[in-house]
Amino acid sequence: MAKPTVVLLPVWGDGHFMPMIEFGKRLVRASGGAMSVTVLLMPAPTPQAGSDIADHVRREEAEAAAAADGGGGISFKRLPAVEIPTDHTGIDEFISRVVRSHVPHVKAAIEGLACPAKALVFDIFCTPALDASRDLAVPAYVYFASAGATLALFLRSPAIDEEVAGEFEEMDGMLDVPGLLPLPATSLPDTLLDRKMSTYEWFVYTGRRYMDATGFIVNTAADLEPSVLAAIADGRCTGGIPAPTVYPIGPVLALPSPPEQPHECVRWLDSHPRASVLLLCFGSKGVLTPTMVTAIADGLERSGHRFLWVLRGPPVDNRDGARHPTDAALDEMLPEGFLERTKGRGLVWPTRAPQKEILAHAATGGFVTHCGWNSILESLWFGVPMLPWPLAAEQHLNAFALVAGMGVAVPLKVHRKRGNFVEAADLEQAVRALMGGGEEGRKAREKTLELKAVCRKAVEEGGSSRSAFQRLYEEIHGGGAELSSKNESVKADKAEGHVKRATYAH
Ligand SMILES: COc1cc(-c2[o+]c3cc(O)cc([O-])c3cc2O[C@@H]2O[C@H](CO)[C@H](O)[C@H](O)[C@H]2O)cc(OC)c1O
Ligand SMILES: O=c1ccn([C@@H]2O[C@H](COP(=O)(O)OP(=O)(O)O)[C@@H](O)[C@H]2O)c(=O)[nH]1
């Protein structure tokens, strides 16, 4: 009989696709080849996203083909194209509409598999795929590539929606998300800031539908976010109703061995003292406005510190609501004379850089990050304290957790109402605080080293993430997973109709 398979449904985007593939590879390894992984590929919506995914898939297929067992572990199945929405209000609505159109294809693909599907694991945007899992009676897990804090907010959002009248930004006081410090509305994801937008409805709908999942596989570690994970487990984020089990299995980081010939950025770092260089990198979609670029250049120049700045050019393809950067024309983007004046102590890199290798380098001593969760985990993994400059999505919430919760970052004043602008003087001051040897930077560095140890311990033999992964694997492999609808009666009894049936137009 064909070996059973776990079906993955990732979305495109670096911070989403690769962590999920990495998780799939771990499942295959854990099963010793007794289980396979089938990745369902939704066609990417833009040529750039398409070519990124095609590159990843080619690499994985080549690796699988070269494997000793002939590569039966991980395979990719392409789903048919669907109509791409052009009238969406942003990336979250765009993705959820695309996924909704794919539900019949997901169902048909699972039904057409030559081997039994043990579980369906889907991205945070793929909630509509819960319908396919229910119809086919296959347990469904959410692969949550962001922080436990964001998961708590999703789960709490249906109740907050009822508790707070008017826009969150206009309310007095803070929001209560159990397990987190009182949360200012200014730290909420963009999606929640305008109730009139359909993306707001999407967020609350998602939070509600998550209760129908079998479990959450979260790229975090139990000791990295202990209080929020405990609050979810105790049902405190869901009004006393038990939430699906959380499996904190992280940090899941793809850490390939460094290339034989080090990247130019890494070679440049070789010539600088230990912990002296500040990295600035804004993720795979980080695009800065011309005024931001000028402010950064001024702030860095005035700070006098060493820096490696990954600066990308304006996007060309915006069809999916995300902003995919291009290679930067540095002479056109930077203030005149900046490169000459900072020569020797600064490098501006105009295209994608090997962020993990840079963070791993001893010369890197600080990181101005857009607060994508993968970047945060990578920074902690290599023990590099941060300056948070959130730009979109849930990044403001991550920034809040970094500064107020974990203490691994020095705050940076980001003007959210001015398009996340930072004044040059504020950047200069924050860079000095982080890199200049003062008390604030020292504390953040010390705390970062503590959490570096926590991250590494979690994934060691016997560590909490290893154990969580093992429990998850046994549940999936042993067939002990509850179907998503199995909890329904308990939830309905407890909620006495409080949990509304989820309906959402997209
Ligand atoms: C897949 O492509 C994109 C995803 C996001 C995005 O949007 C988003 C919106 C929310 O209301 C809540 C979220 O949690 C959320 C998350 C999210 O993806 C996260 O992206 C972060 C960086 O942007 C980081 O990588 C996290 O790890 C992801 O989980 C947004 C986006 O463009 C702005 C995308 O293209
Ligand atoms: O120039 C770059 C920009 C990004 N990344 C990697 O892309 C991922 C970005 O994920 P994150 O969640 O931080 O943010 P997103 O790109 O999804 O906004 C991380 O693994 C980074 O190391 C990289 O290697 N080089």
Side-chain angles (χ1 to χ4, degrees):
M1 175 158 152
K3 55 183 160 190
T5 197
V6 172
V7 178
L8 306 189
L9 184 63
V11 301
W12 49 93
D14 271 9
H16 291 247
F17 190 81
M18 281 317 284
M20 209 149 156
I21 300 300
E22 191 57 31
F23 164 74
K25 285 158 71 175
R26 285 189 188 191
L27 267 186
V28 172
R29 277 200 298 274
S31 77
M35 209 161 67
S36 69
V37 160
T38 307
V39 184
L40 301 185
L41 289 175
M42 295 182 272
T46 62
Q48 180 58 50
S51 94
D52 289 350
I53 296 292
D55 284 350
H56 291 317
V57 172
R58 246 193 313 277
R59 255 197 315 276
E60 295 302 330
E61 284 180 330
E63 201 180 288
D69 64 357
I74 185 157
S75 60
F76 294 86
K77 208 172 162 51
R78 286 154 183 85
L79 298 178
V82 294
E83 202 179 322
I84 296 296
T86 50
D87 58 342
H88 57 89
T89 54
I91 182 75
D92 359 32
E93 183 191 329
F94 176 85
I95 300 182
S96 59
R97 281 172 65 179
V98 170
V99 172
R100 187 167 290 275
S101 310
H102 272 299
V103 171
H105 302 146
V106 170
K107 203 173 152 192
I110 298 176
E111 282 172 325
L113 290 172
C115 43
K118 281 277 189 188
L120 171 62
V121 178
F122 59 88
D123 184 89
I124 64 168
F125 285 101
C126 299
T127 324
L130 276 164
D131 295 339
S133 100
R134 184 199 51 217
D135 294 351
L136 299 169
V138 177
Y141 295 84
V142 180
Y143 187 87
F144 205 82
S146 281
T150 307
L151 175 58
L153 183 63
F154 267 112
L155 292 172
R156 175 90 173 94
S157 65
I160 296 180
D161 177 51
E162 290 181 1
E163 286 162 21
V164 178
E167 297 295 349
F168 295 123
E169 274 184 310
E170 282 148 24
M171 73 180 206
D172 291 330
M174 305 279 193
L175 283 161
D176 170 38
V177 178
L180 295 185
L181 292 168
L183 185 65
T186 47
S187 296
L188 288 175
D190 296 338
T191 320
L192 284 177
L193 289 184
D194 186 349
R195 283 181 181 231
K196 293 180 291 303
M197 299 286 276
S198 62
T199 46
Y200 175 90
E201 203 187 326
W202 164 80
F203 196 100
V204 175
Y205 162 86
T206 300
R208 201 171 279 136
R209 287 279 340 245
Y210 275 180
M211 293 299 276
D212 295 335
T214 303
F216 302 113
I217 305 161
V218 189
N219 194 3
T220 191
D223 290 333
L224 198 55
E225 299 184 274
S227 51
V228 82
L229 294 177
I232 296 172
D234 296 348
R236 276 181 281 140
C237 295
T238 43
I241 302 164
T245 310
V246 174
Y247 299 89
I249 61 155
V252 178
L253 303 173
L255 296 169
S257 34
E260 260 171 47
Q261 186 59 27
H263 189 275
E264 201 176 321
C265 290
V266 175
R267 289 206 307 273
W268 182 83
L269 286 168
D270 285 344
S271 59
H272 294 280
R274 198 176 174 77
S276 68
V277 176
L278 178 73
L279 167 68
L280 297 95
C281 186
F282 297 87
S284 56
K285 295 159 222 115
V287 177
L288 304 168
T289 61
T291 41
M292 281 168 159
V293 173
T294 307
I296 294 179
D298 285 355
L300 289 176
E301 197 172 342
R302 289 195 234 161
S303 79
H305 282 281
R306 293 182 169 84
F307 62 86
L308 196 173
W309 178 9
V310 183
L311 173 60
R312 310 299 310 278
V316 283
D317 197 338
N318 203 20
R319 265 172 286 176
D320 61 355
R323 293 155 58 79
H324 305 283
T326 50
D327 290 353
L330 296 184
D331 289 342
E332 289 166 25
M333 291 177 73
L334 290 166
E336 213 176 319
F338 172 78
L339 290 174
E340 290 72 41
R341 290 193 298 277
T342 54
K343 202 167 178 178
R345 75 169 168 96
L347 174 66
V348 185
W349 190 254
T351 183
R352 198 182 158 81
Q355 182 174 292
K356 281 176 275 205
E357 286 169 54
I358 295 169
L359 287 169
H361 198 286
T364 306
F367 181 18
V368 176
T369 171
H370 74 307
C371 297
W373 186 240
N374 294 287
S375 294
I376 290 171
L377 290 177
E378 290 163 14
S379 206
L380 294 177
W381 184 259
F382 293 112
V384 179
M386 288 163 266
L387 278 185
W389 189 333
L391 296 174
E394 90 294 23
Q395 296 155 11
H396 286 272
L397 177 60
N398 291 342
F400 172 78
L402 286 186
V403 176
M406 299 179 185
V408 293
V410 164
L412 178 65
K413 196 164 182 199
V414 177
H415 298 272
R416 198 166 179 185
K417 288 201 166 139
R418 291 167 59 197
N420 299 309
F421 184 70
V422 169
E423 298 285 354
D426 290 329
L427 179 65
E428 175 194 352
Q429 181 271 324
V431 171
R432 287 182 193 275
L434 182 70
M435 306 293 290
E439 186 56 12
E440 213 181 354
R442 193 192 56 74
K443 273 195 186 150
R445 196 168 306 276
E446 221 172 79
K447 197 71 203 160
T448 306
L449 291 177
E450 263 174 47
L451 292 192
K452 171 182 174 179
V454 162
C455 288
R456 293 188 177 227
K457 189 156 175 256
V459 296
E460 273 171 13
E461 194 66 52
S464 62
S465 295
R466 283 279 191 108
S467 311
F469 183 87
Q470 192 56 31
R471 284 196 303 279
L472 171 70
Y473 170 72
E474 278 160 17
E475 186 175 288
I476 292 177
H477 191 242
E482 286 190 336
L483 292 177
S484 42
S485 56
K486 215 167 157 188
N487 283 335
E488 283 299 280
S489 56
V490 184
K491 286 181 206 157
D493 287 351
K494 278 206 139 196
E496 292 175 350
H498 178 72
V499 177
K500 288 192 238 164
R501 276 291 353 130
T503 50
Y504 178 54
H506 291 141

